[in-house]
């Protein structure tokens, strides 16, 4: 859960995504999964095995690794927007893999709840 914030939503969500990637880069997939609050709209809860499987399928290799985004030269600008029904925000960020930004994208939703914003990993795929 992300508490109610006063920063620009893109800044807040980018900070979350990069922290999430850092957990994955350290191999802390359970820690990253624990930061996800709700299943996506299809009822799917992402677990460590599913996330690793998506990365391996993308790279066609079992040895793919997430990279700390602070260790990559260059920067990517995420995409974000507010849902028209006011329920929260959508957010997309490229996944840092094997030392560079990939075209694999993590899609998050940050949904308004009484105590802040619930974090949902909607999907990870190539856009």
């Amino acid at each position: 859960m992300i508490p109610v914030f006063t920063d620009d939503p893109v800044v807040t969500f980018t900070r979350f995504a990069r922290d999430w990637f850092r957990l994955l880069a350290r191999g802390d997939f359970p820690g990253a999964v624990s930061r996800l609050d709700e299943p996506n709209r299809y009822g799917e809860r992402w677990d460590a095995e599913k996330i690793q499987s998506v990365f391996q399928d993308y790279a066609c290799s079992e040895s793919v690794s997430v990279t700390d985004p602070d260790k990559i030269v260059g920067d990517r600008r995420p995409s974000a927007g507010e849902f028209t029904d006011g329920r929260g925000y959508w957010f997309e960020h490229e996944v840092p893999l094997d030392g560079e930004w990939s075209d694999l994208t993590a899609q998050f939703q940050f949904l308004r709840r009484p105590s802040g914003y619930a974090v949902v990993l909607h999907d990870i795929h190539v856009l």
Side-chain angles (χ1 to χ4, degrees), residues 18 22 25 67-74 99-101:
R18 296 213 171 189
R22 282 185 203 94
T67 304
D68 181 330
D70 294 334
K71 296 182 179 180
I72 299 177
V73 176
E100 61 187 29
W101 293 107

Side-chain angles (χ1 to χ4, degrees), residues 12-119:
T12 300
F13 302 147
T14 300
R15 188 177 307 120
F16 171 88
R18 296 213 171 189
D19 288 344
W20 195 76
F21 293 142
R22 282 185 203 94
L23 289 170
L24 297 176
R26 290 195 308 258
D28 187 3
F29 281 72
V33 168
S34 74
R35 301 212 45 213
L36 306 175
D37 298 312
E38 298 179 8
N40 67 18
R41 68 180 176 189
Y42 305 111
E44 183 172 26
R45 279 200 178 272
W46 287 77
D47 61 22
E49 293 76 26
K50 181 167 176 72
I51 294 169
Q52 287 174 318
S53 175
V54 168
F55 295 159
Q56 291 168 350
D57 288 350
Y58 168 80
C60 299
S61 171
E62 289 188 18
S63 65
V64 66
S65 62
V66 179
T67 304
D68 181 330
D70 294 334
K71 296 182 179 180
I72 299 177
V73 176
D75 199 9
R76 291 287 206 230
R77 297 287 174 227
S79 299
E82 191 167 3
F83 290 117
T84 56
D85 62 6
R87 65 188 165 102
Y89 298 86
W90 58 268
F91 181 85
E92 299 175 344
H93 199 302
E94 289 92 346
V95 178
L97 294 175
D98 292 334
E100 61 187 29
W101 293 107
S102 71
D103 57 355
L104 195 63
T105 301
Q107 296 178 310
F108 294 95
Q109 294 179 345
F110 298 93
L111 304 176
R112 282 189 175 91
R113 299 295 181 251
S115 59
Y117 289 84
V119 178

